[in-house]
Amino acid sequence: MARLLHPHFVKEEAFALPPLGLLAPAARGEALPPAAEAAVRMAERLQAELPKMLAEHGRIVAALVTLAAAARAEGRADPVRFAEALKQHARIEEEVLYPPAILLGEQLRPGQRTAARTPA
């Protein structure tokens, strides 16, 4: 599991999740920090590497299915819970985290940026 998970986690920390730090200020219409330009590049990289990231999730989930089956056969509940939780985490990344990171990058791309709104 560690051999599958570690490289994937490194990618997520490098470019998949950091753009999400700009979601709240962008949603509030606040002026974005200079880091917004780096977030755009990260989101573009996520979009480019999304098929690979999803394929990695597929391999990770397959390994988790094997782990859970072996744990069930041995009557060990903790590894089964771990496997189920990590499978759910992968689904959340695919459906809830990756898409807004990509959309935010598209929205913040030079020429696409919207002016900061004044909070009501």
Side-chain angles (χ1 to χ4, degrees), residues 40-118:
V40 169
R41 289 190 300 278
M42 289 178 198
E44 289 171 343
R45 183 171 175 197
L46 173 59
Q47 188 168 22
E49 294 201 26
L50 188 60
K52 291 178 189 173
M53 300 287 283
L54 297 178
E56 289 172 1
H57 275 184
R59 289 188 295 276
I60 290 167
V61 167
L64 290 168
V65 167
T66 301
L67 172 67
R72 279 190 192 93
E74 293 181 12
R76 299 185 60 203
D78 285 344
V80 173
R81 282 192 293 274
F82 168 79
E84 294 304 319
L86 199 50
K87 284 169 37 181
Q88 178 64 22
H89 177 82
R91 280 191 296 273
I92 289 170
E93 286 177 346
E94 292 173 11
E95 297 173 10
V96 178
L97 299 178
Y98 294 167
I102 291 168
L103 290 173
L104 183 64
E106 291 173 355
Q107 185 67 29
L108 296 178
R109 199 171 283 132
Q112 299 294 320
R113 287 192 190 174
T114 56
R117 296 186 311 266
T118 305

Side-chain angles (χ1 to χ4, degrees), residues 8 13 17 32 42-43 63 68 70 90 113:
H8 184 77
E13 290 175 16
L17 301 178
L32 297 173
M42 289 178 198
R113 287 192 190 174

